[in-house]
Amino acid sequence: MMGSVRRPTPLARTDQPRLFEALGLIAPVHDVVHDATERRLAEVAALWPVIVAVLLLGTGALVATLALAHQITPVALALAALLAGLVLAAWALLALPAARSLAPHRRATTLAALGALLSAALSLQIDFAPGLPGGALQTTTFVIGFGAIVLIAIALHAVRIASLAFALTLAVMVPVTAGLGVPAAAALILAALLVTGVLRIARRDHVALGSRAKEKRDQRLATRLIEEYEAHSTGWFWQTDRFGCLCHLSGKLTTELQTLGFMPIGQRLVEVFRVDSSMADTERTLTFHLSARTGFSDYSVRPAFDTEADRWWSISGRPMLDDLGRFQGFIGFGSDLTEKRRADAEITRLALFDSLTGLANRQRMRLSLDQTLAQTKGLRSTNALFLLDLDRFKAVNDTLGHQTGDELLKQVAQRLQRTVGDAGLVGRLGGDEFQVVLPREGNHDRLQNLAQQIITALSQQYFLGGSSVSIGCSIGIAIAPEHGNDSETLIRNADLALYAAKADGRGVSRFFREELLAGAQNRKRLEDDLRRALVNDEFHMVYQPVVSTKDERIVGYEGLLRWVHPTRGAVSPGDFIPIAEECGMIEAIGEWVLRTACTEAAQWPEHIRIAVNVSAIQFANPALPAIVTSAIASAGIAASRLELEITESVFVNDDAASNHMFRALKRIGVRLALDDFGTGYSSLGYLKKAPFDKIKIDQSFVRGAIQAGNRNAAIIRAIVTLADTLGMETTAEGVEQQDEIDLIRDLGCSHIQGFVFGRPGPARDMLAQFTQTAGAANAVGHRISRASRATLLRSARLEIGDEAGEVRIRNLSTTGVMIDGVDFPDTAVGIEVRIELVDGELFPATIRWAAEGRAGLEFARHFDMERLAQPTLKAVRKAG
């Protein structure tokens, strides 16, 4: 247990101090009493050499006189030695450093003891005087003794306990030397009165010390607070004399003014500061207030002397009067306004300008557009608005970092300003969005030309930190009043035009068209209809079989959402799912899908699984595990029958919350599948961290995998190998041709899903089909996959040996081409030819069949169909 700590009581609160502390007999509680005792001892020490001189010289002379007269006695020698020893001992106590290291109260009590002994010795000396020979010697001895008593009493007066001890000993020595009687009684009465007086003085001094201690503490506290205020704030203090000259100025501001080349102390206040006339709160000058001797408050001032520094202060002051009401000068305080003024200017700048690029920001652009439209309202004048969005900017941020992205935005701003020039105001709305207001401009050709110049300028390469970066730009254009009379409408329509430009392939500009607004309004109506669809029971589920490649038996179904609108008819999930995610409906719809799929799956055999898609928004909902548990329990199915298909988009915010969600779902017992694998970023990283049971290979890898030379098969094999290593199943999506089944099986996939085993259907149809075939899956559709073909009518140059001619192309695929316009004999089959599909490039081929003016050629190597988009094929010449 910790001992209690005694807190000293402030002296100012002690009206009746302790007697011993007041007399200095005990250690003082407060430093102020300690210091006062030290000062009093110092006063005694200052006078004590005189007492030493008096006693040593007096007693020495007395002893010498008695010795010359041969009348010296042992008593005289003893008294002389005693007096000398006592006075020297007291001197040592007061003067020697070793003695001065003692506590003041101990020195005071020791001095009191020595004073009492000195009092007794002097009393005996005075009593010894009548016994000396000769009247003169008697008188001298008495005078020396009495004088020493007076001097010692005066010296010891400052130390109350020593003074009392000295006086009381004198009083006690009267009856000792003179006997009892009237003198003794008088001495004792005088001593009692002296003690009373000394005690009262001691108490008064002690109380006065308390008051001075409080004043000292208050003064020290005030000084400390002022120093703290000046050191850690922008404030400072000043004072002038009666003539208005500065006699005090806080050190911080004094130093600052000196660095500006001006010595403020002694200068008139108006020569140091002048009122900032630009501020409305300073109506009168400092000279007026100093002359009228009136106070002022919060005046904004600047240096009154010549300086290039931009400095501002706020000062307040009031006149000082003494106790007689006489004017003594001004006193006041001030604070630094420089940073505040700069901050206000910066706030104003930030309110209207973009901090990164220096362009006008969204607020200023809106104000400028409003002003431009207001100025031309009612006039036959047009104004244009460009909305710009950078293409591929996010890729720069992701690969090179945000610092490089910021530098890129600065260079974009510079190019944009140079290109637009004085034609309009350029601003940055935020991110990679920019805006240009073009007053009094509405010509479509000029606007189109300027937009193209901007796109060309911004599409040039950028060099950032040693890296070469290329981006693009899309622009939406709206014109007032053609596309809107107010800024809100104009901005909305320019945004719709920008949306159209990005939809048309980016890197282009588009003017606003009414059909763009109609499309946006249609999306809004679709959103409104979507909100009613769930309540009106317009949704239904269909199911697509998932088939095992091992025995081609159905092992489960994927539940797919369908919406049949009352007036629109069937609405594609690709149209309404993104809208549901944007408007916040996806969680309610997703829960309905989950519960419906589980309920309908309860009618199927117990070993059949049901797969349901979970959006990234659903996955981020902490309540998802509870919803899944409730759906399973309500349907009465085993948790292991439910398979949640999750896309890579859930990893956009890859954090502890995602890991926690995966663990929570696995604790329920459901299966997890990674859907559309390979279409996102860092898929291998996801597999390392997330506990998936299955990987669904996206159909983009399945299509064309069976074609010779296609690399998709190698990619599928690599994915299957990875999944097998991690102990995961694999499902190939989008299988449509029967010959692809064997390929998928040979590549090692464990499951197949696609139209090859039928199109999705209602739960009752799937159950009937399953029952009819006892779970076997029947393949449908084309037995053999054909390479993708393009039907076109183009001319081509055909070479056979040394002969050449023109033919027409009818169908073209990666493996061959059908031509007409030439009759080949039956013997031509197997002949090698060369055909010019791309201008200036001949492709080797072999004739595989010929009949009725047509022929089929097989290429020696696969033809890249994407080259059809290149404008190098020659057009068919018109007959005639």
Side-chain angles (χ1 to χ4, degrees):
M1 181 181 295
M2 296 181 61
S4 60
V5 178
R6 178 174 63 87
R7 296 184 179 180
T9 304
L11 284 173
R13 298 180 182 177
T14 308
D15 296 331
Q16 299 294 331
R18 292 176 298 172
L19 178 62
F20 287 171
E21 185 179 6
L23 292 175
L25 290 173
I26 62 176
V29 177
H30 301 280
D31 291 340
V32 66
V33 179
H34 178 283
D35 295 341
T37 306
E38 285 282 10
R39 287 194 302 271
R40 289 167 181 168
L41 288 170
E43 292 178 13
V44 177
L47 188 59
W48 203 257
V50 178
I51 298 171
V52 171
V54 170
L55 285 179
L56 291 181
L57 292 175
T59 56
L62 178 61
V63 171
T65 303
L66 291 175
L68 290 175
H70 302 285
Q71 296 183 358
I72 188 170
T73 62
V75 175
L77 286 174
L79 283 174
L82 179 62
L83 285 171
L86 290 173
V87 75
L88 290 174
W91 195 15
L93 178 69
L94 293 170
L96 291 180
R100 293 175 63 181
S101 64
L102 295 174
H105 73 284
R106 296 190 183 279
R107 295 173 63 202
T109 54
T110 303
L111 183 63
L114 292 174
L117 293 175
L118 278 172
S119 177
L122 289 172
S123 297
L124 291 176
Q125 185 182 41
I126 293 173
D127 183 64
F128 176 71
L132 295 176
L137 189 58
Q138 295 175 3
T139 303
T140 302
T141 302
F142 179 82
V143 170
I144 291 173
F146 186 77
I149 290 173
V150 173
L151 289 174
I152 292 173
I154 294 172
L156 295 179
H157 174 73
V159 182
R160 309 302 182 196
I161 185 61
S163 177
L164 281 177
F166 185 78
L168 287 175
T169 302
L170 284 177
V172 171
M173 290 301 296
V174 172
V176 172
T177 56
L180 297 175
V182 175
L188 293 175
I189 291 173
L190 289 174
L193 294 174
L194 178 63
V195 169
T196 302
V198 170
L199 291 178
R200 292 185 65 184
I201 292 173
R203 287 193 176 94
R204 186 201 64 189
D205 290 346
H206 200 65
V207 173
L209 283 175
S211 299
R212 285 199 296 274
K214 183 178 183 304
E215 292 176 0
K216 187 175 181 180
R217 285 198 307 274
D218 293 344
Q219 183 179 6
R220 189 163 52 245
L221 177 61
T223 303
R224 188 179 298 116
L225 291 175
I226 290 173
E227 292 175 350
E228 190 74 12
Y229 175 77
E230 291 182 335
H232 298 93
S233 73
T234 60
W236 40 271
F237 299 94
W238 60 273
Q239 181 180 347
T240 69
D241 57 17
R242 296 166 54 199
F243 305 103
C245 297
L246 281 172
C247 56
H248 171 77
L249 188 64
S250 294
K252 179 171 60 177
L253 186 60
T254 300
T255 302
E256 182 180 351
L257 293 176
Q258 287 175 352
T259 59
L260 297 178
F262 189 81
M263 301 296 293
I265 301 300
Q267 302 291 336
R268 298 183 68 240
L269 184 67
V270 295
E271 295 174 348
V272 181
F273 305 113
R274 64 177 175 85
V275 172
D276 187 358
S277 58
S278 64
M279 301 299 292
D281 55 353
T282 52
E283 299 176 354
R284 293 177 175 175
T285 64
L286 290 178
T287 303
F288 169 81
H289 289 284
L290 295 178
S291 301
R293 298 178 180 177
T294 58
F296 54 91
S297 178
D298 297 330
Y299 270 26
S300 297
V301 297
R302 301 190 64 184
F305 50 90
D306 293 333
T307 178
E308 296 180 357
D310 290 331
R311 304 292 287 121
W312 295 273
W313 299 277
S314 172
I315 64 171
S316 301
R318 61 177 180 83
M320 292 187 302
L321 303 177
D322 62 10
D323 295 339
L324 299 178
R326 292 174 297 190
F327 175 69
Q328 300 297 313
F330 270 78
I331 189 170
F333 62 92
S335 61
D336 196 335
L337 289 181
T338 303
E339 292 303 323
K340 182 178 181 300
R341 292 286 292 270
R342 290 174 181 170
D344 291 343
E346 181 66 12
I347 290 172
T348 302
R349 189 187 70 82
L350 292 177
L352 297 176
F353 293 91
D354 176 56
S355 59
L356 177 64
T357 63
L359 299 177
N361 63 6
R362 183 184 297 271
Q363 180 180 352
R364 189 185 176 202
M365 293 301 294
R366 183 62 177 265
L367 292 173
S368 175
L369 182 59
D370 288 338
Q371 292 172 356
T372 301
L373 295 176
Q375 291 170 359
T376 57
K377 189 174 183 179
L379 303 176
R380 291 186 177 181
S381 180
T382 55
N383 305 289
L385 177 68
F386 283 7
L387 280 184
L388 297 83
D389 187 86
L390 302 182
D391 302 328
R392 302 184 301 279
F393 175 76
K394 184 178 183 300
V396 175
N397 262 350
D398 292 342
T399 56
L400 300 180
H402 290 279
Q403 185 174 358
T404 302
D406 289 346
E407 184 62 32
L408 175 60
L409 290 174
K410 293 179 183 178
Q411 294 192 24
V412 166
Q414 294 171 0
R415 294 188 186 185
L416 190 55
Q417 280 189 306
R418 284 198 303 266
T419 306
V420 175
D422 297 332
L425 176 65
V426 179
R428 177 178 175 234
L429 304 183
D432 60 345
E433 294 182 298
F434 294 83
Q435 189 180 78
V436 181
V437 175
L438 300 162
R440 303 182 185 279
E441 181 58 79
N443 184 276
H444 281 234
D445 292 337
R446 287 195 296 268
L447 292 173
Q448 182 70 53
N449 183 53
L450 177 59
Q452 187 57 49
Q453 290 178 20
I454 292 174
I455 293 172
T456 301
L458 300 188
S459 300
Q460 299 297 319
Q461 281 193 333
Y462 299 83
F463 297 95
L464 305 167
S467 299
S468 176
V469 175
S470 294
I471 60 171
C473 172
S474 301
I475 302 178
I477 308 172
I479 303 173
E482 179 182 349
H483 301 147
N485 291 312
D486 58 273
S487 58
E488 184 174 351
T489 303
L490 206 61
I491 292 173
R492 180 201 66 190
N493 292 341
D495 192 46
L496 291 173
L498 175 61
Y499 184 83
K502 297 178 80 69
D504 287 346
R506 303 173 182 266
V508 296
S509 63
R510 292 291 181 264
F511 286 89
F512 170 75
R513 306 186 308 274
E514 289 298 329
E515 53 265 33
L516 298 178
L517 179 59
Q521 292 171 340
N522 180 60
R523 289 193 297 272
K524 181 62 172 65
R525 286 193 296 269
L526 189 62
E527 177 184 331
D528 296 338
D529 292 343
L530 188 61
R531 296 182 184 279
R532 292 189 292 268
L534 192 59
V535 178
N536 297 339
D537 197 24
E538 297 174 10
F539 292 119
H540 69 277
M541 296 292 294
V542 296
Y543 301 89
Q544 186 175 41
V546 178
V547 179
S548 171
T549 57
K550 182 178 181 181
D551 53 10
E552 294 192 15
R553 299 188 65 85
I554 298 174
V555 297
Y557 294 90
E558 180 181 0
L560 304 171
L561 178 63
R562 296 294 183 261
W563 178 22
V564 179
H565 191 275
T567 57
R568 297 172 183 261
V571 182
S572 171
D575 293 334
F576 70 82
I577 291 297
I579 294 177
E581 291 179 338
E582 292 175 5
C583 69
M585 286 281 297
I586 192 63
E587 290 191 67
I589 295 175
E591 182 175 352
W592 181 89
V593 168
L594 179 64
R595 293 184 180 278
T596 302
C598 289
T599 301
E600 294 186 335
Q603 309 301 319
W604 301 338
E606 293 183 356
H607 67 281
I608 299 299
R609 300 173 189 161
I610 178 64
V612 176
N613 286 280
V614 174
S615 73
I617 297 175
Q618 286 178 274
F619 188 82
N621 184 3
L624 179 61
I627 295 172
V628 171
T629 303
S630 174
I632 293 172
S634 299
I637 64 173
S640 59
R641 293 182 61 191
L642 178 62
E643 192 171 86
L644 300 180
E645 296 187 0
I646 303 168
T647 63
E648 294 177 356
S649 59
V650 303
F651 296 98
V652 172
N653 296 320
D654 188 17
D655 52 17
S658 298
N659 297 330
H660 177 75
M661 180 61 72
F662 279 121
R663 289 193 296 268
L665 293 174
K666 290 302 292 183
R667 282 196 297 267
I668 297 173
V670 300
R671 292 169 52 85
L672 299 178
L674 179 58
D675 198 11
D676 300 334
F677 179 76
T679 59
Y681 299 100
S682 305
S683 300
L684 297 182
Y686 307 153
L687 295 179
K688 180 180 68 174
K689 292 184 289 185
F692 290 110
D693 300 286
K694 176 189 288 188
I695 297 176
K696 300 193 71 175
I697 303 172
D698 188 70
Q699 59 184 347
S700 61
F701 296 108
V702 176
R703 292 198 187 104
I706 200 169
Q707 301 296 328
N710 192 295
R711 292 183 293 180
N712 286 0
I715 295 175
I716 295 174
R717 187 183 300 278
I719 295 173
V720 170
T721 302
L722 175 63
D724 289 343
T725 304
L726 297 175
M728 301 178 185
E729 298 177 355
T730 50
T731 297
E733 296 183 289
V735 180
E736 298 182 355
Q737 313 300 333
Q738 294 186 29
D739 57 350
E740 292 177 338
I741 298 176
D742 293 333
L743 173 68
I744 297 300
R745 182 186 295 112
D746 294 340
L747 292 175
C749 287
S750 58
H751 298 88
I752 289 177
Q753 181 180 342
F755 290 165
V756 71
F757 290 114
R759 294 185 175 274
R764 60 181 179 273
D765 294 349
M766 294 298 103
L767 180 58
Q769 180 185 3
F770 184 91
T771 304
Q772 182 180 0
T773 62
N778 295 323
V780 297
H782 296 287
R783 293 184 178 274
I784 300 176
S785 300
R786 302 175 63 188
S788 60
R789 298 172 179 270
T791 301
L792 59 151
L793 185 63
R794 294 180 183 271
S795 67
R797 183 166 174 263
L798 183 70
E799 290 185 359
I800 304 177
D802 295 332
E803 298 182 5
E806 293 286 335
V807 295
R808 286 189 299 268
I809 296 176
R810 290 291 183 178
N811 289 322
L812 178 67
S813 70
T814 59
T815 58
V817 60
M818 186 179 75
I819 62 175
D820 66 5
V822 60
D823 288 323
F824 288 110
D826 294 339
T827 57
V829 175
I831 295 178
E832 294 183 354
V833 298
R834 291 185 298 172
I835 186 169
E836 187 182 28
L837 302 178
V838 178
D839 191 18
E841 186 175 354
L842 293 171
F843 288 82
T846 302
I847 301 175
R848 292 305 181 189
W849 62 269
E852 299 178 356
R854 295 185 177 186
L857 309 183
E858 181 183 4
F859 296 139
R861 64 178 186 274
H862 284 75
F863 173 70
D864 186 0
M865 298 290 287
E866 293 183 359
R867 300 189 67 179
L868 291 176
Q870 301 175 6
T872 55
L873 298 181
K874 294 185 292 184
V876 172
R877 291 174 298 180
K878 292 184 179 180

